[in-house]
Amino acid sequence: QVQLVESGGGLVQAGGSLRLSCAASGRTFSIYNIGWFRQAPGKEREFVAGISRTGGSTVYADSVQGRFTISRDNAKNTVLLQMNSLKAEDTAAYYCAADSRILITKVAGSYDYWGQGTQVTVSS
């Protein structure tokens, strides 16, 4: 089992940057793929980025490709999401989630554990 806590959200102007952090508890963090999802009011939760157990593979949504970077440090039980060139449409609550499957999945229902979320608001 793993517990996840997100941090780093806030208010930023369009074109700015934020770095989200997902801190995990538990000794088994390295067995999980980690995904970042986001949910805006009135919209479904959508996949943003995912990273494999070792950090060797990453996957991004088309909408953030080239602007966001996901990384992890298993020694520190942490996953980061660096968000650059932010747009108003990036405004949402951001969640990290852990999945024990072999391959990174973009399907929210496949993830076993979720954090409580952190709000990102981009002003235009």
Side-chain angles (χ1 to χ4, degrees):
Q1 188 172 356
V2 63
Q3 293 182 329
L4 305 172
V5 178
E6 302 94 336
S7 62
L11 174 64
V12 64
Q13 290 186 337
S17 299
L18 281 176
R19 187 176 70 174
L20 304 184
S21 178
C22 174
S25 63
R27 298 180 180 179
T28 59
F29 175 69
S30 62
I31 72 171
Y32 294 98
N33 296 327
I34 300 296
W36 280 98
F37 290 78
R38 65 188 182 187
Q39 187 168 19
K43 295 187 177 181
E44 293 187 354
R45 190 167 296 190
E46 64 172 351
F47 175 83
V48 174
I51 190 165
S52 63
R53 293 168 177 75
T54 63
S57 296
T58 57
V59 178
Y60 296 93
D62 290 344
S63 58
V64 306
Q65 181 77 49
R67 299 189 298 122
F68 290 11
T69 302
I70 188 171
S71 61
R72 71 187 293 165
D73 184 340
N74 284 343
K76 297 181 179 180
N77 280 12
T78 300
V79 172
L80 300 176
L81 184 68
Q82 178 66 43
M83 306 186 298
N84 298 329
S85 302
L86 284 162
K87 305 175 181 180
E89 51 262 45
D90 294 319
T91 295
Y94 282 71
Y95 301 86
C96 64
D99 173 31
S100 58
R101 298 170 189 263
I102 296 176
L103 298 178
I104 301 170
T105 176
K106 297 181 179 181
V107 180
S110 298
Y111 284 77
D112 304 303
Y113 304 101
W114 291 82
Q116 84 290 347
T118 186
Q119 179 67 35
V120 172
T121 302
V122 183
S123 62
S124 57

